């Protein structure tokens, strides 16, 4: 999927420059889920969605070029690949922060494991997909203003 790059329509719609909003890129391995998340977040004037990818490799490549403040990554990629990609993004300074979103139908043991992995990587946050849009936006905002 080609990264979606916003333009001056954001400032027209919201009354503020898109540069005032955290730049966010999304990674979700299921296309339909990515479309739903992108659509939902694009409707939020407090965010500047600069890209959306189904492939973690393409996420890293797009982040290298787009330099978002926050990358939102679904944790349910096979074999912990989301955590490896997040470490790569932060280590190479392609993004400053990563917010992990955990799956809806995971058991408590899996969620505990994912949360522990997320905490082990610097500059990250963790939410479950049951979080409301307000909670998601608040987490993104908090991550984007924290400097390490």
């Amino acid at each position: 999927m080609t990264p979606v790059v916003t333009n001056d329509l954001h400032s027209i719609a919201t009354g503020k420059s898109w540069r005032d909003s955290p730049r966010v890129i999304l990674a979700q391995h299921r296309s339909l889920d990515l479309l739903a998340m992108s659509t939902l977040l694009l409707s939020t004037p407090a965010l500047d969605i600069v890209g959306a990818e189904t492939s973690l490799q393409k996420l890293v490549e797009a982040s290298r070029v787009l330099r978002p403040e926050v990358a939102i990554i679904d944790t349910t990629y096979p074999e912990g690949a989301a955590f490896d990609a997040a470490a790569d993004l932060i280590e190479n300074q392609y993004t400053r922060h990563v917010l992990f979103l955990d799956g809806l139908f995971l058991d408590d043991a899996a969620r505990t494991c994912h949360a522990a992995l997320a905490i082990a990587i610097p500059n990250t946050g963790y939410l479950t997909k049951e979080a409301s849009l307000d909670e998601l936006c608040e987490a993104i905002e908090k991550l984007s203003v924290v400097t390490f």
Side-chain angles (χ1 to χ4, degrees):
M1 181 174 221
T2 304
V4 178
V5 180
T6 59
N7 58 28
D8 283 80
L9 293 177
H10 178 82
S11 56
I12 293 168
T14 64
K16 69 179 194 173
S17 169
W18 59 268
R19 287 180 176 86
D20 297 334
S21 302
R23 294 170 43 83
V24 178
I25 193 166
L26 311 171
Q28 167 61 253
H29 70 283
R30 291 191 272 307
S31 297
L32 189 56
D33 290 346
L34 181 64
L35 178 61
M37 173 87 52
S38 299
T39 302
L40 182 67
L41 292 179
L42 280 168
S43 71
T44 306
L47 303 175
D48 181 22
I49 307 303
V50 296
E53 300 292 346
T54 54
S55 157
L56 289 172
Q57 180 180 352
K58 288 183 180 180
L59 169 76
V60 172
E61 292 169 6
S63 295
R64 182 179 50 79
V65 173
L66 299 170
R67 303 294 174 148
E69 279 87 28
V70 179
I72 301 175
I73 303 177
D74 177 33
T75 62
T76 59
Y77 280 91
E79 301 174 9
F83 302 100
D84 293 337
D88 188 27
L89 288 171
I90 291 171
E91 181 179 306
N92 289 303
Q93 299 178 355
Y94 297 157
T95 188
R96 292 174 47 210
H97 309 284
V98 173
L99 178 62
F100 291 105
L101 284 184
D102 221 340
L104 290 172
F105 303 108
L106 295 176
D107 61 30
D108 288 342
R111 285 191 177 177
T112 300
C113 179
H114 286 172
L117 287 169
I119 291 168
I121 301 170
N123 305 354
T124 62
Y126 174 87
L127 281 178
T128 63
K129 289 184 180 172
E130 287 92 355
S132 69
L133 178 58
D134 287 341
E135 290 170 319
L136 179 59
C137 290
E138 183 180 331
I140 294 167
E141 185 66 31
K142 283 181 179 177
L143 276 174
S144 68
V145 297
V146 173
T147 57
F148 294 92

